[in-house]
Amino acid sequence: MKILFKILDYLISVFMGAGTVFTVSLVVGEGWNMFIAMFIGMLLGMIVMLLSVMLFVYVSTAFELFPAGMLITMFTGMAAGMLLSADRIDFTVLLWAAIFLSILIQLCIDIYNMKLKGEVPVD
């Protein structure tokens, strides 16, 4: 049962990354100021994270969703905003990059959580 929840965490992370790229691609277009596009992308990423947490908090915990979600949506939103405003980039390439980044961030957080587990010495 524990592996099912880990798989679900990875799927939620991919959902957050892909949702951020999709939302930013709907709003930001070519010719935008890169700084404003980066800010709007980060803002839209935070909105996607909030909606994802509200949807999936019943099957996972907020302590599992927020650390990965904040990194995934902020970095993906900023990068997508800058890339979409600067030059014409293929949406599928951007989507696959967001999926890879989402899985990588979730994996790094899982490895870090494994390192933190153990007995805490009481003095």
Side-chain angles (χ1 to χ4, degrees):
M1 192 66 153
K2 188 176 179 181
I3 191 75
L4 179 66
F5 287 114
K6 279 296 167 199
I7 292 171
L8 189 61
D9 283 340
Y10 281 91
L11 290 175
I12 293 169
S13 296
V14 167
F15 175 77
M16 283 191 261
T20 301
V21 168
F22 181 71
T23 307
V24 172
S25 70
L26 289 177
V27 175
V28 174
E30 190 176 345
W32 276 48
N33 183 348
M34 193 178 289
F35 179 74
I36 293 173
M38 179 183 71
F39 181 74
I40 295 295
M42 190 171 49
L43 181 71
L44 290 172
M46 290 292 109
I47 292 170
V48 168
M49 185 197 63
L50 179 66
L51 292 174
S52 299
V53 168
M54 288 172 44
L55 284 173
F56 296 113
V57 76
Y58 300 110
V59 294
S60 186
T61 64
F63 292 108
E64 289 288 330
L65 295 175
F66 274 116
M70 288 181 70
L71 292 173
I72 291 168
T73 56
M74 285 178 65
F75 288 146
T76 305
M78 288 187 323
M82 287 190 298
L83 289 172
L84 289 170
S85 69
D87 196 20
R88 196 86 179 142
I89 187 167
D90 191 23
F91 178 75
T92 56
V93 171
L94 196 58
L95 187 65
W96 281 110
I99 289 170
F100 176 74
L101 181 72
S102 301
I103 292 172
L104 182 68
I105 288 174
Q106 184 66 44
L107 180 68
C108 289
I109 288 178
D110 285 343
I111 290 171
Y112 185 68
N113 282 340
M114 282 189 270
K115 287 173 89 174
L116 289 178
K117 289 188 180 184
E119 290 191 31
V120 177
V122 178
D123 292 331

